[in-house]
Amino acid sequence: AQSVTQPDIHITVSEGASLELRCNYSYGATPYLFWYVQSPGQGLQLLLKYFSGDTLVQGIKGFEAEFKRSQSSFNLRKPSVHWSDAAEYFCASNTGFQKLVFGTGTRLLVSP
Amino acid sequence: NAGVTQTPKFQVLKTGQSMTLQCAQDMNHEYMSWYRQDPGMGLRLIHYSVGAGITDQGEVPNGYNVSRSTTEDFPLRLLSAAPSQTSVYFCASSYNQGRDTQYFGPGTRLTVL
């Protein structure tokens, strides 16, 4: 069965510093991969997605993610974090068989 | 477009009560789904539907029923509420599955006493 692992429950980053959130997936073939963001009290919003082609994917709000098949990873990055980026981030995968599987999420705290 | 709407935003039930969480979308999406979100567990799929009249179980379906009589609506029914069903419930929709973006509603926070 497919699974998604986000090893970091919480991450604290200083405003202006770079950010990397880790995500590993478990599936034999390449799944469709997504990053969603959830602001407090809100639903989830798509940041970016990957399903084929260029392994570096650009998303909204200045985020990008890199797919690395050899490491089964899809890490999310941002070169300079803003206070408004404080939120919970979810990695998700879909093998195309109608079920989206989420990781447990990483809560990002931004310090001044 | 209103997108995906959910009602109510908050609900408190007593153990054994039943209720229906409403979900509607105005994007003509075929695929709709229900998730529950619990601390430290991410989002877990309860039920999903690939079109009107077609539903299937997700990862945690016990205690919940769904039906899909129209493309727009996908209600989630709690048959006999239990404290273990205290959670935040999200409805989502997309054109299809696989690579399509899922659009999420704002959620319903349910407390079962």
Side-chain angles (χ1 to χ4, degrees):
Chain A
Q2 61 172 323
S3 66
V4 175
T5 302
Q6 294 181 248
D8 303 306
I9 298 174
H10 297 100
I11 282 185
T12 300
V13 175
S14 298
E15 190 168 15
S18 63
L19 169 71
E20 182 167 25
L21 302 182
R22 296 183 291 166
C23 172
N24 292 94
Y25 66 91
S26 165
Y27 184 62
T30 299
Y32 304 127
L33 295 163
F34 306 80
W35 275 100
Y36 285 86
V37 61
Q38 183 182 33
S39 298
Q42 304 294 317
L44 279 72
Q45 179 185 22
L46 180 73
L47 284 176
L48 48 78
K49 61 184 177 182
Y50 171 82
F51 47 85
S52 66
D54 193 344
T55 57
L56 186 63
V57 181
Q58 302 297 322
I60 62 171
K61 305 185 181 187
F63 285 91
E64 66 178 26
E66 185 171 13
F67 170 67
K68 293 186 177 180
R69 185 191 307 274
S70 61
Q71 298 176 17
S72 297
S73 68
F74 188 56
N75 293 351
L76 182 71
R77 302 194 295 245
K78 186 169 185 179
S80 177
V81 168
H82 188 261
W83 64 266
S84 60
D85 293 324
E88 189 153 21
Y89 292 80
F90 292 94
C91 183
S93 76
N94 188 316
T95 60
F97 294 105
Q98 302 176 343
K99 295 182 182 180
L100 188 64
V101 174
F102 284 86
T104 53
T106 298
R107 184 168 298 278
L108 173 65
L109 304 173
V110 180
S111 60
Chain B
N1 286 351
V4 180
T5 58
Q6 291 183 239
T7 56
K9 287 185 183 291
F10 303 94
Q11 183 70 49
V12 179
L13 293 178
K14 294 181 180 178
T15 296
Q17 287 185 314
S18 63
M19 79 158 296
T20 299
L21 307 185
Q22 301 292 344
C23 174
Q25 52 89 11
D26 60 359
M27 297 174 282
N28 203 31
H29 286 169
E30 290 295 327
Y31 184 89
M32 297 185 73
S33 53
W34 277 102
Y35 295 87
R36 59 177 290 173
Q37 182 179 26
D38 302 291
M41 304 190 75
L43 280 80
R44 292 180 293 168
L45 183 65
I46 304 171
H47 284 286
Y48 67 95
S49 168
V50 299
I54 306 170
T55 64
D56 204 348
Q57 296 181 350
E59 183 184 356
V60 288
N62 293 341
Y64 307 95
N65 269 0
V66 292
S67 60
R68 184 96 178 269
S69 56
T70 67
T71 299
E72 295 77 22
D73 300 298
F74 190 45
L76 178 73
R77 296 182 187 84
L78 280 70
L79 308 173
S80 177
S84 60
Q85 294 178 303
T86 293
S87 187
V88 181
Y89 291 85
F90 289 99
C91 179
S93 74
S94 63
Y95 280 112
N96 208 322
Q97 252 293 38
R99 67 180 68 180
D100 286 333
T101 300
Q102 291 211 36
Y103 294 87
F104 285 82
T108 294
R109 184 174 293 275
L110 175 68
T111 302
V112 182
L113 303 175

